[in-house]
Amino acid sequence: MPGADKETDLSERIESFLSELKRCGSGAGSLRGSAETARETTALLRRITAQARWGNAGELMEIIRKEGRRMTAAQPSETTVGNMIRRVLKIIREEYARSRGSSEETDQQESLHKLLTSGGSSEDNFRQHFTHLKANVIEAINELLTELEGTTDNISMQALEHIHSNEVIMTIGRSRTVEAFLKDAARKRKFHVIVAECAPFCQGHEMATSLCKEDIETTVIPDAAIFAVMSRVNKVIIGTQTVLANGGLRAVNGTHTLALAAKHHSTPLIVCAPMFKLSPQVPDTPYNHTKLKSVDTILYIHILSKVNAHCPVFDYVPPELITLFISNIGGNAPSYIYRLMSELYHPEDHEL
Amino acid sequence: NITDSDPDGRLTVTDKDVKLQEIALAKNEGKELTKEEKQRLRKEKKQHKKNKKDDKGPPEKEKEKEKASVPAPSKPATQSPAHKAAPAPVHASESAAAAEKPAKSKAELRAERRARQDSERTSKQGKKEGGQQSASSKPKATPNELQPVVKRLPEHVQVDDPAALKKLAKKLERQQVPLRSDYGYKVSLFSHLHQYSRKSPPTLQISIPATVIHPSIVRLGLQYSQGIIAGSNARSVALLHTFKQVIQDYSTPPNEELSRDLVNKLSPYISFLSQCRPLSASMGNAIKYIKKEISNIPSQCKEEEAKGKLQACIDSYINEKIILASEAISKYAIEKISDGDVILVYGCSSLVNHILCKAFEKQRKFRVIVVDSRPRLEGREALRRLVKKGIRCTYVLISALSYILPEVSKVFLGAHALLANGYVMSRVGTSQIALVAKAYNVPVLVCCETYKFCERVQTDSFVSNELDDPDDLIVTRNGKSHLENWQTVKSLGLLNLVYDVTPPDFVDLVITDLGMIPCTSVPVVLRVKNVDQ
């Protein structure tokens, strides 16, 4: 039966995606950028919408939520997966609301009055069946995909507004977004980049060689020298793994030190992050935001058995240390992030 | 002895070439220039100067002095190097206009000094004081006057000045010490510092057996340059032991006084060691002490007695300033360690390790977190020592500092030197640890012996630092080393700093053998020490 084939094909794809995610997390597979993950997640969700069996919006949302929970469980630190799922859920809600003809659901939290009078959730409203809902949702997801493809370009287009000539810019580790940002600015301006290598994986080395290909003057420094050279740095531009709901960051380890050093010297800290990295999580305790990689990357000696070694992967950076977020929709202060989030995600989807 | 002079003021001296040939010959034969040869060379040079002075009038003399003074306007240069530098073609006449006024007053001082020296020289036969030039000497400041200290800028921070480099090359040539060349592309911010490669040690150019430089000094220099002996205390102690050996093997040549000749003998050794690796502040203080002790030997003292005295002095210096000081510091520091503490240490400081071991022996219950950083990874050595004692340890890299700091109750740091404005000069990364500890409100205690206090002042880590071998940053991960061919890539530079300075507002307490003082009391201690001496 064609329907069953489609279903098995779909579940196969989902399974392979899940195993990809798991492998990436353990470091065995190739390291993917967040943008790729976001695109693949969205494509997979589009496929689910197209091929899975559902009758009304509520069922579709249930299916997506279920698959979404499995995906986030496979790789909890890869938050873009969860973010894309929430975006799609919001799209479904919007399309549903548009099909129904009502436009009041768009801004749930517009005013306190609405908050009090809107009352309970409108879940039971999603039972209605609309014939064109599937096509509309798929079209909206396609729009989302185009948006995703253009994020890096949109961010790098803003580079010349922020970088002037003869600047010394500092960055840490490797971020494809920052790389594109700096390369775009280097086409017109001459400046100097200092890259902190970010032990123990030393992704900074790759970043430096890649920047040198565009003839950008680059210097690689070890992590210990971050504060020592900070006095000569004009701007710090970093990428991040996740932007949290309070405007803080979950970024590669060493970023918090970098942010503190920048604050001490009053150097602006600019974060280049596309919108799909924005996640509704909040930092409850710093410990929840780290993932300990296997420690044999830092210690190879025989006394490993008598010693505790820690190798966290991520750092939490509080929003007070950040000056500016540059995303594909423009520049924002960290205090505005909560608002952007309310536009992207529906509050009921914060918990999948 | 014909001196020609070109119309534009440059001197071409024919027998200067002869002199160079002789030096080259002597070096090739591997023997030291005999005292007579050196004297003869010096006399000839002075003769040139006198002839030149007679031929040309005072304007020429001033122009010379300007040329000599322009490369290092802040140097109270001793006499003979100034004389020797003058005959060399110095094309500084363009800047003569700007340097006119200060040069004139310097010229007067120089004339006075030269007159005084000439008279001294005629009174003593066959003795040369001009050769006495120490690598790290500063004019002794009498404690009761606030002298305007005209300090000589150390050579190792003037690498971007070609005149200073030339001067150094001449000095090393005279001392028959090989000159080490810089390696690799230097980051522009640090073009005033040397950057050497570990793969080309300075001993490559020394003939074997080395007769100019004592073999144990050669060995010590190699140990420094390869990083086998590292750490402020270790280097100072090794230096002092080697000097003991040198003094043991020393024999006064006839017609010489031990107190003067031995200091002269030590100068090329010190130049060689600073070519291997720039001297640390503690080493500088130790050398000053030794030189003072040597020059205080009374002239009627017999050689064996003098040698014994000097060796006893060195032993007592090591004992007092290093060993007993660390005992005193441990005693103070142990008062600050309480049960249940979680102590953070960075890298491998012999003093801090000693403190922790002592505290553990005194049955304090604490655990230690060792923070380490690339590329030196000295923390592993500290970890090894602490684990051997039985202390519970945790190990992290410096990028994990924000992760681990909420658990920490105190931070103990070692220091390489304490500067007179209260800044702490220590291994690179120390200031970072102090910064983050301050952000988390964790007290930072610095442990430092008083012999590491120095009179320099510095506010950032750029003006005076040490650049280590840049190839150390290359690492292989996942089978790939991205920086392997960094030399071929045009715009890539690797920066491997060794030291950085920590501002005093990050440091809560400094524990020294004189007690527990705040960071800003360092000049007080220096003053007290000067009064004692």
Side-chain angles (χ1 to χ4, degrees), chain B residues 15-68:
Chain B
D15 69 318
K16 179 176 174 254
D17 303 329
V18 171
K19 261 188 298 177
L20 284 174
Q21 278 174 23
E22 284 176 7
I23 292 180
L25 219 76
K27 266 206 279 200
N28 291 342
E29 292 171 33
K31 71 173 160 68
E32 188 180 348
L33 290 178
T34 60
K35 200 74 192 167
E36 292 78 40
E37 281 176 3
K38 281 192 197 162
Q39 266 176 244
R40 186 164 52 86
L41 296 179
R42 270 194 229 113
K43 275 206 181 107
E44 282 164 0
K45 275 190 183 161
K46 292 209 167 65
Q47 200 56 39
H48 293 317
K49 296 280 309 186
K50 285 211 168 80
N51 291 347
K52 217 173 39 173
K53 261 191 301 185
D54 294 341
D55 290 346
K56 292 148 197 182
E60 207 63 23
K61 185 166 86 167
E62 284 174 2
K63 210 157 63 140
E64 251 173 42
K65 284 192 218 123
E66 284 164 10
K67 287 178 192 165

Side-chain angles (χ1 to χ4, degrees), chain A residues 197 199-200 205-206 216-220 222-224 226-227 231-232 254 256-257 264 287 298-299 308-310, chain B residues 185 187 374 380 393-395 397 399 402-403 407 429 431-432 440 460 462 473 477 482 489 491-493 495 506:
Chain A
E197 66 179 6
H205 294 186
E206 233 178 296
I216 303 178
E217 284 276 333
T218 320
T219 305
V220 177
D223 296 333
I226 287 178
F227 186 72
S231 52
R232 292 294 173 274
H256 189 211
T257 311
H264 181 262
Y287 283 80
I298 59 172
L299 211 56
N308 292 335
H310 293 298
Chain B
Y185 170 71
V187 178
R374 280 195 74 237
R380 293 184 181 181
C393 293
T394 308
Y395 178 86
L397 287 179
S399 36
S402 312
Y403 172 72
E407 304 179 1
S431 53
Q432 219 164 291
Y440 282 86
D460 59 35
F462 290 86
L473 289 180
R477 291 272 182 258
H482 294 273
V489 181
S491 10
L492 185 59
L495 186 60
F506 291 161

